[in-house]
Amino acid sequence: MREAMDSGRGDGVKGEWSNLIQVFTCPEDEATRAVLVHHMRQILFELHDFLIQNVGITEAVSLKKISDRCTDTVLNREPEKRLADVITDVFQEIAPHAVNVASPYFVGHMTAAIPYFMVHLKAIVAALNQNVVKLETSKLLSVLEKQVMAKVHRLIYGNDEAFYREHVQNTHTSLGSFTEGGTTANLTALWVARNKALGPCGTFKGVESEGLAAAYAAHGIDRCVVLVSRRCHYSLRKCGGILGIGNANIISVPVDGTNHMRVDCLAEMIDGFKKEGRVKVMAVVAVVGTTETGNVDRLDEIGAICRQEGIFLHADAAWGGPTLMSETYAPLLDGIDGADSVAMDGHKQFYMPMSCGMIFFKDPTSLDAVAYNANYIIRKGSVDLGSKTLAGSREANCLILDSAFKIMGSRGYGMLIDHGIELARDFAEEIQGRDLFQLVTAPELNILTYRICPRAMREELATASPERILALNDHLNEVNRTLQQEQREAGNSFVSRTVLELETVFPGSPTGKVVVLRSVLMNPLTTLDILRDILDEQEALYADWCEGAIPKKGRCRVGKG
Ligand SMILES: Cc1ncc(COP(=O)(O)O)c(C=O)c1O
């Protein structure tokens, strides 16, 4: 475009203007169109091959090196490049330095391959550029959103036909809404929970209107707490900060040896707060697929306690929610219909592109607790979805999910879920069959953790003194940390790493702060053979480490004794 503007094809400012408005209509010439078609064909029809050929997994590249490429802070006044050149640069200079999260060897995070048609749908969403904050900028897309919400709500809560007929397009009620992700879905749930817990009483108009200080005074309390699993996602602590109750009041309930919230402890803690007085338990959060270990809290038992105590129960199913579509494993989520709200991520196991989350409420009037209206949009009683969402302007993610349901059906999604869970079980067996590795958390869904811990060391750990256990664990933590990094930097595969605080479950079980390798098995192209390759690579790296080919950081020594 710059050339066009500089060459004065038009006359002066008038010419520049006509060139500028060209970008709102179509490519400026045939050559530009040809370049765009060439590149876009690659990502629309040959995405898998394009990513394999052009985008690395996680090779070593210093942050400094990539940061140094992006230090220009001056916004250019004049166009710098032609559109075709900019797009070519994106494909040649930027994409290769992104991460190929779609690789079947990339098994470390909850971001992975997506069906190629998702890219088409995302492009259509961008092209239509609807804003579902209000009907006037989205029309059919707003009502489509309500329909998609109802479909997933039905999957969770399974109410009868009459219920869904009444609410699917009801302008006064809401079964849920799309959010940016799991974090804002959790925040929306706790926002509702806070406003319900600290609602109007007497002359007090409610916390949303008058703030926390007035709310605590009106309700005769000093603080609100939220009880969460110790394995919950860190976003819940953010919610404590944002909602003003303080993140110190997001209180962890201990977990058992299989990473499930201890229901006995939950009951005791609720009891303790009741006795203490002047503390309101605003909500309990159960996790459906813990981020680090993929475990599902016992929703039935937790739900029973919450119902008995009149406490709002939120289920953070950002990861595990889609398991409901598995015809085999859905029962793992029994009791989810007892939750007052359920968060799910579209960009996790609904295999949607970034970014999309969802929040659902059992009671279709729950979102009234956070409703806002304005005169020019989101008028009372309108379909304007923005009246009950944290976000204002929003893209029409419903188009993507609705189309994906049509293309794959819940059975297709269920098969993807089954593949992940069954592959995780096979992988766990493979790990247990090898001398070098110790399975740390067995898979319940499709996430597992393990560590490098040679058999001899495992045997020693079973009978060692507490001091010796500490020293061995310290050493193992260093080995696992170093080798995970080495493997990542080699760039062939990626397994993530976390630190779990574990209690002794049986003699020799990992204890204390344990560095573990974490696998998330959601990519249907990942096979057991690929996972064996990853373990083989780790074995080779360990051999190098023992021979001194990989420098030891020297922080811990494992002498005898
Ligand atoms: C259980 C759980 N909840 C919430 C979140 C936050 O989701 P998001 O990153 O989409 O905000 C995650 C993300 O990993 C998660 O695993």
Side-chain angles (χ1 to χ4, degrees), residues 277-317:
R278 299 193 63 82
V279 181
K280 184 151 218 150
V281 180
M282 185 183 110
V284 168
V285 181
V287 195
V288 182
T290 52
T291 313
E292 290 166 299
T293 58
N295 294 101
V296 182
D297 282 331
R298 300 195 172 87
L299 295 158
D300 269 333
E301 295 171 42
I302 297 170
I305 293 178
C306 289
R307 268 189 302 282
Q308 188 187 320
E309 300 293 337
I311 298 171
F312 188 98
L313 172 61
H314 172 58
D316 178 1

Side-chain angles (χ1 to χ4, degrees), residues 97-130:
H97 300 287
V99 173
N100 183 6
V101 296
S103 165
Y105 283 84
F106 186 89
V107 293
H109 284 309
M110 294 169 154
T111 305
I114 51 175
Y116 78 87
F117 65 74
M118 293 289 184
V119 182
H120 296 236
L121 294 169
K122 185 85 181 175
I124 294 168
V125 168
L128 293 176
N129 197 28
Q130 302 293 285

Side-chain angles (χ1 to χ4, degrees), residues 160-317:
D160 60 17
E161 184 61 31
F163 174 91
Y164 290 105
R165 218 172 311 122
E166 181 187 347
H167 293 291
V168 62
Q169 292 302 339
N170 192 324
T171 55
H172 297 285
T173 60
S174 178
L175 299 174
S177 71
F178 279 93
T179 60
E180 284 166 322
T183 300
T184 39
N186 285 338
L187 179 58
T188 305
L190 293 187
W191 186 19
V192 166
R194 186 198 68 171
N195 290 4
K196 279 176 178 275
L198 302 174
C201 60
T203 56
F204 173 64
K205 293 195 190 76
V207 62
E208 187 71 17
S209 158
E210 297 196 32
L212 275 180
Y216 288 175
H219 284 264
I221 58 170
D222 297 327
R223 63 179 179 135
C224 268
V225 297
V226 176
L227 301 179
V228 299
S229 157
R230 185 173 173 189
R231 291 272 178 270
C232 78
H233 189 259
Y234 68 88
S235 56
L236 291 158
R237 292 189 58 249
K238 279 190 201 170
C239 296
I242 295 167
L243 293 172
I245 65 167
N247 64 25
N249 288 313
I250 305 293
I251 295 180
S252 290
V253 180
V255 291
D256 61 19
T258 51
N259 299 295
H260 299 100
M261 182 196 284
R262 282 188 49 187
V263 182
D264 56 334
C265 294
L266 174 69
E268 268 171 35
M269 289 166 82
I270 292 173
D271 232 35
F273 286 122
K274 274 202 301 202
K275 288 195 184 116
E276 192 181 323
R278 299 193 63 82
V279 181
K280 184 151 218 150
V281 180
M282 185 183 110
V284 168
V285 181
V287 195
V288 182
T290 52
T291 313
E292 290 166 299
T293 58
N295 294 101
V296 182
D297 282 331
R298 300 195 172 87
L299 295 158
D300 269 333
E301 295 171 42
I302 297 170
I305 293 178
C306 289
R307 268 189 302 282
Q308 188 187 320
E309 300 293 337
I311 298 171
F312 188 98
L313 172 61
H314 172 58
D316 178 1

Side-chain angles (χ1 to χ4, degrees), residues 20 55 96 109 296 336 340 380 399 414 501 508:
L20 185 60
V55 184
H109 284 309
V296 182
I336 196 167
D340 295 291
K380 268 200 173 130
L399 183 67
E501 266 195 53

Side-chain angles (χ1 to χ4, degrees), residues 438 440 449-451 473 476-477 480-481 497-503 509-517:
Q438 179 177 37
V440 177
T449 67
Y450 64 105
R451 65 174 176 168
N473 270 334
L476 288 167
N477 286 350
N480 281 278
R481 207 178 287 121
R497 182 183 84 212
T498 187
V499 181
L500 296 177
E501 266 195 53
L502 300 169
E503 279 152 34
S509 72
T511 310
K513 286 194 176 177
V514 177
V515 174
V516 292
L517 307 175

